[in-house]
């Protein structure tokens, strides 16, 4: 809604629905959180308060008074992250001069230079480029007095210097970048900037190419699409320009008007490729034939989604052939390794109408994905070796995701995928991946999860990958992983973990039971080849007792991860697919054993 107010194109019907969505989710203390059951969070609370105020709510309204109190308790606007403050600056509610510099000239740095835009994660890069254009123009749509946010600054601080403070220790990376930030701000005061025009043109060209060529908007994700629209308006694009209209249409595709539940929300992105692969596995596991016409249709659809162009990934990984899959319908510049591994796992279990084509594409895609193995032996999401840790101290990197390092869940999924496509532990890539998993295991036996919440996700996937590739599952370090999972089982027989464990690892494995996390834990335990464990019997009872009459499961809590500690995802299919897979695999394992403790 802040974007629509900046554009001056507010749909009052949409605004009313957004307001209802926000009011329905206000916490008892008056704030808003970033995940179900979580504490009030400053960025979510200020943004929600702002939307209500833009919609006409008075500061004297009881709803606003409660929100005002918790926002000040959390530190007010000065405690927001850069992304939140920038959207306030667009409306004249925070001074541009106190935002970290985002120099557009960075796009001119050559790819071989120690710092260039390809040393950032793909999602940060897709935000950085349009933001650098916006930062040059610093556009403001001033709000009337009744919509200002003076009251959200702690008393006496509204006119103070909000520049980021230096560390007490002189020589730190943070101080290094803050000095550069001060330098860039000093340079901005001068009218002559010799490289600015060239940089703006290259940034515009880079952005437009990734909007118009095989993509459902820049990066096919909400933040970069919104920022690219603002950047295009800054550059003078008219409202009826085809590229601008395309971006606005892609943005509107994220709107979900859920009339059945009287709710309106905006999705951060779409996940059809990922969902199709997991659903296909769930259906085959449940007993649907792999050549069922419906699954053949799904296989053909997935094969048609193969990305055949070289995108941003080729800068860090000059592999000669393009392949792989993206998360969304169309996102040709950003296929990712995790999706590719998962789609290949799905394609090993379903049969397309043209098996020869399927086999050819699968081999090409696996070769492409294997080329992304990082120096540490693990696999990351979108790029290879985007791991310069000093970049985490860049002032605008407070979204906690400027890098794209290797992670245990993707690496383990890679092992599962490679095992299903004929590789074993003698392969060099496999050996290095196994070593990475061993090196990244926590002392208590668990693994941290990057793309799912959290240690339950990471530990299940690590155990599954090791099991599938043929590792001896009775080794002490692997048994510790299974024991850790079992130690976290709730009294109701299920498993659960909230995103709070990202902020506080002492909370790992703790939270209300959910269907998806229970299924992950079950699959982790099944790697011990003992389907008769008491913990598995209790988890089966939990899933049976919580299943709906239509066969589905409800899942209130969030189990997907976007940016740890910042942004989380709810996958609607997770609560259906993962329990189906876990229960099917338990059934199949029980068929192979006649007594407790027997091995398959």
């Amino acid at each position: 809604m802040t974007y629509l107010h900046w554009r001056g194109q507010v749909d009052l019907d949409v605004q009313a629905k957004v307001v209802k969505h926000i009011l329905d989710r206000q916490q008892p203390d008056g704030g808003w959180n970033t995940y179900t059951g979580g504490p009030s969070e400053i960025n979510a609370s200020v943004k929600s308060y702002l939307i209500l105020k833009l919609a006409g709510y008075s500061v004297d309204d009881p709803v606003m008074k409660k929100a005002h109190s918790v926002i000040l308790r959390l530190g007010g606007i000065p405690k927001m992250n850069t992304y939140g403050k920038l959207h306030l600056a667009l409306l004249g509610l925070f001074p541009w001069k106190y935002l970290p510099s985002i120099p557009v000239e960075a796009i001119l740095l050559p790819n071989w230079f120690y710092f260039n835009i390809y040393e950032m994660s793909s999602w940060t890069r897709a935000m950085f480029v349009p933001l650098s254009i916006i930062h040059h123009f610093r556009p403001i749509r001033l709000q009337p007095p009744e919509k200002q946010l003076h009251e959200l600054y702690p008393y006496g601080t509204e006119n103070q210097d909000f520049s980021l403070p230096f560390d007490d220790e002189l020589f730190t990376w943070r101080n290094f970048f803050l000095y550069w930030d001060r330098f860039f701000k000093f340079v901005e005061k001068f009218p002559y900037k010799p490289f600015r025009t060239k940089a703006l043109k290259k940034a515009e060209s880079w952005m437009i190419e990734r909007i118009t060529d095989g993509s459902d908007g820049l990066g096919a994700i909400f933040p970069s699409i919104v920022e690219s629209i603002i950047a295009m308006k800054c550059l003078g694009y008219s409202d009826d320009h085809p590229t601008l209209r395309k971006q606005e249409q892609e943005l509107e595709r994220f709107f979900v008007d859920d009339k059945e539940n009287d709710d309106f929300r905006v999705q951060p992105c779409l996940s059809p490729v990922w969902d199709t692969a997991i659903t296909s596995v769930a259906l085959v596991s449940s007993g649907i034939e792999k050549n069922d016409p419906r699954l053949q249709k799904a296989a053909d659809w997935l094969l048609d989604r193969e990305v055949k162009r070289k995108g941003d990934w080729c800068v860090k990984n000059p592999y000669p052939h393009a392949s792989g899959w993206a998360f969304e319908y169309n996102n040709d510049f950003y296929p990712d390794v995790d999706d590719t591994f998962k789609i290949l796992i799905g394609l090993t279990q379903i049969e397309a109408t043209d098996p020869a084509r399927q086999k050819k594409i699968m081999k090409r895609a696996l070769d492409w994905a294997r080329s992304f193995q990082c120096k540490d032996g693990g696999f990351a999401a979108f790029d290879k070796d985007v791991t310069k840790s000093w970049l985490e101290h860049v002032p605008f990197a407070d979204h906690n995701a400027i890098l794209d390092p290797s992670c245990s869940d993707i690496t383990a999924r890679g092992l599962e995928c490679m095992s299903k496509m004929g590789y074993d532990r003698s392969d060099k890539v496999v050996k290095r991946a196994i070593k990475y998993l061993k090196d990244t295991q926590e002392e208590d036996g668990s693994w941290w999860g990057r793309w799912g919440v959290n240690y339950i996700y990471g530990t299940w996937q690590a155990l599954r990958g090791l099991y599938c590739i043929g590792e001896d599952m009775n080794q002490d370090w692997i048994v510790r992983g299974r024991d850790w999972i079992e130690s976290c089982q709730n009294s109701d027989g299920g498993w659960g973990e909230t995103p709070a464990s990202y902020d506080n690892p002492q909370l790992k494995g703790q939270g209300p039971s959910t269907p998806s996390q229970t299924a992950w834990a079950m699959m982790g335990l099944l790697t011990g080849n003992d389907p008769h464990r008491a913990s598995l019997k209790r988890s089966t009872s939990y899933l049976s007792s919580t299943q709906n009459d239509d066969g589905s499961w409800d899942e209130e809590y969030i189990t997907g991860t976007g940016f740890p500690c910042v942004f989380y995802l709810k996958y609607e299919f997770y609560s259906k697919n993962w329990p189906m897979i876990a229960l099917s695999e338990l059934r199949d394992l029980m068929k192979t054993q006649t007594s407790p403790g027997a091995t398959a």
Side-chain angles (χ1 to χ4, degrees), residues 360-492:
K360 182 178 180 180
I361 290 176
M362 290 175 66
K363 181 183 185 309
R364 181 168 63 224
L366 182 60
D367 290 345
W368 177 84
R370 279 166 53 90
S371 75
F372 279 83
Q373 189 169 40
C374 298
K375 294 175 182 177
D376 59 11
F379 289 87
F382 288 85
D383 287 292
K384 182 176 181 178
D385 295 319
V386 178
T387 56
K388 288 186 169 66
S389 59
W390 49 268
L391 281 173
E392 294 177 317
H393 301 281
V394 172
F396 57 77
D398 55 3
H399 62 302
N400 198 36
I402 196 171
L403 302 179
D404 184 9
S406 301
C407 53
S408 59
D409 38 327
I410 296 179
T411 302
R413 184 168 287 118
L415 289 176
E416 180 183 357
C417 174
M418 287 184 273
S419 73
K420 293 182 182 300
M421 293 188 64
Y423 287 91
D424 58 29
R425 286 177 294 140
S426 65
D427 177 72
K428 291 182 179 180
V429 172
V430 169
K431 287 181 178 179
R432 294 180 62 215
I434 293 174
K435 183 179 184 302
Y436 172 83
L437 288 181
K438 194 168 186 177
D439 291 343
T440 55
Q441 186 182 28
E442 303 266 331
E443 191 173 334
D444 61 6
S446 64
W447 279 268
W448 185 79
R450 170 60 181 86
W451 295 99
V453 180
N454 170 359
Y455 290 91
I456 291 175
Y457 183 83
T459 306
W460 150 66
Q461 189 61 72
L463 291 174
R464 187 178 182 87
L466 293 167
Y467 174 77
C468 290
I469 204 64
E471 192 72 9
D472 179 2
M473 301 304 288
N474 291 314
Q475 296 176 77
D476 287 345
W477 66 285
I478 296 177
V479 171
R480 284 194 296 117
R482 287 207 309 272
D483 288 347
W484 179 84
I485 286 181
E486 203 161 48
S487 73
C488 299
Q489 189 172 27
N490 290 329
S491 59
D492 62 6

Side-chain angles (χ1 to χ4, degrees), residues 92-109:
L93 304 174
F94 187 83
W96 275 100
K97 64 181 179 180
Y98 294 131
L99 287 172
S101 297
I102 306 178
V104 69
E105 286 83 1
I107 201 167
L108 299 177
L109 296 173

Side-chain angles (χ1 to χ4, degrees), residues 12 19 22 31 51 60 70 80 92 137 147 152 214-215 230 260-261 278 281 289 309-310 320 354 421 441 549 598:
L12 295 180
V19 166
I22 289 172
I51 291 172
D60 296 322
V70 75
M80 294 181 74
F137 288 98
K147 294 183 180 180
L152 297 189
S215 297
I230 297 172
E260 181 179 349
N261 296 303
I278 299 174
V281 172
E289 294 295 327
R309 67 165 301 151
K310 289 189 175 183
D354 186 344
M421 293 188 64
Q441 186 182 28
D549 292 339

Side-chain angles (χ1 to χ4, degrees), residues 489-495 513-515 518 522 535-555 575 579 583:
Q489 189 172 27
N490 290 329
S491 59
D492 62 6
W495 277 265
S513 296
T514 69
T518 298
M522 288 177 65
S535 56
L536 285 171
K537 292 180 180 179
R538 291 197 301 271
S539 60
T540 304
S541 296
Y542 167 79
L543 289 177
S544 297
S545 64
T546 57
Q547 188 176 29
N548 297 322
D549 292 339
D550 64 1
S552 66
W553 284 267
D554 296 325
E555 190 159 273
S575 62
L583 291 170

